[in-house]
Amino acid sequence: MDNAYETISAEEHDRLAELYGPLTDAVRDLIDATIRTQVGADTIEDARIAIEAVTEKLRASQLGPTAGVRYAVEGRPLAWGNAVIGMRNPIAPPLTIHHDGGRCWSEFNLGAAYEGPPGLVHGGVCALVLDHILGEAASEGLTKPLFTGTISVKYLRGTPLGDLRAEAAIERTEDVKTFVRGTISDASGVTVEAEGIFVMPAWAREAR
């Protein structure tokens, strides 16, 4: 990826993770509680006032419109605002991605915030997860400049909320294109499968 991003040490990464990670987890828990609460009107009003007060405090010093990407250990970018893996993004599940060459996988849990049909994960969320994990495989952990060209998703059955596994692997590479396949599965087997083509952008081709 582009080395113009700031580099931080592993120690600094760990410090920031210890600082921001619990806050993100707390907001993620708040989202789930907000969706499923059945408390009375007075409690809801008290909660709204408290949340708005905390939000105002956090607005006192802000990053720009994006959360930014920084490099940490071994040149891997830290996509803190990413919608799938972002450490500082409460709407991210988040996925922790494990790599083995051109293959990667993640075990994760999707709760009420990701529901589409009753009890099932929204199909768009499944596509989001697959797009990301295919991209992780293609780019070898976001270390190579490759972006989604096309992605085809096939829904075999509903994906239940709860514990899930996503995995992807590179099939082949042809010049600036990398072809990848991946799946989401639950305890009973595959629920969604996808194939994608990831393309090296023009600026990266020029730098080869």
Side-chain angles (χ1 to χ4, degrees):
M1 305 296 281
D2 188 347
N3 289 322
Y5 295 124
E6 178 185 352
T7 297
I8 62 173
S9 67
E11 291 77 11
E12 178 67 0
H13 166 267
D14 291 345
R15 185 188 73 81
L16 293 172
E18 289 177 4
L19 175 65
Y20 292 115
L23 173 63
T24 306
D25 289 340
V27 177
R28 186 177 293 115
D29 196 38
L30 175 63
I31 292 171
D32 183 81
T34 300
I35 292 170
R36 300 193 294 119
T37 189
Q38 296 190 62
V39 299
D42 289 345
T43 302
I44 289 175
E45 180 64 9
D46 288 345
R48 181 189 63 80
I49 292 170
I51 291 166
E52 288 180 349
V54 171
T55 300
E56 185 176 355
K57 288 183 179 180
L58 295 175
R59 292 285 188 201
S61 179
Q62 298 267 281
L63 293 169
T66 66
V69 177
R70 297 178 180 179
Y71 284 96
V73 181
E74 297 178 351
R76 178 174 168 81
L78 302 174
W80 285 338
N82 186 278
V84 180
I85 61 169
M87 180 191 70
R88 293 185 61 178
N89 189 344
I91 69 168
L95 272 64
T96 299
I97 311 292
H98 305 279
H99 288 270
D100 181 12
R103 175 176 172 269
C104 64
W105 70 95
S106 179
E107 294 180 345
F108 55 101
N109 183 285
L110 294 180
Y114 307 97
E115 187 174 39
L120 301 175
V121 180
H122 192 293
V125 173
C126 292
L128 172 71
V129 168
L130 283 164
D131 180 41
H132 185 88
I133 200 158
L134 265 64
E136 285 265 1
S139 65
E140 297 182 15
L142 307 182
T143 61
K144 293 184 176 181
L146 293 170
F147 299 96
T148 309
T150 62
I151 183 170
S152 175
V153 180
K154 183 177 181 180
Y155 298 89
L156 306 180
R157 58 184 172 89
T159 301
L161 296 174
D163 293 332
L164 299 167
R165 177 183 173 93
E167 53 188 288
I170 294 174
E171 283 200 314
R172 68 186 189 279
T173 299
E174 297 178 1
D175 191 24
V176 299
K177 296 181 179 180
T178 300
F179 297 76
V180 190
R181 286 184 179 270
T183 60
I184 295 175
S185 57
D186 64 1
S188 299
V190 175
T191 63
V192 190
E193 58 187 23
E195 55 184 25
I197 303 173
F198 291 78
V199 183
M200 182 180 294
W203 59 263
R205 299 176 204 177
E206 295 167 359
R208 289 194 299 174

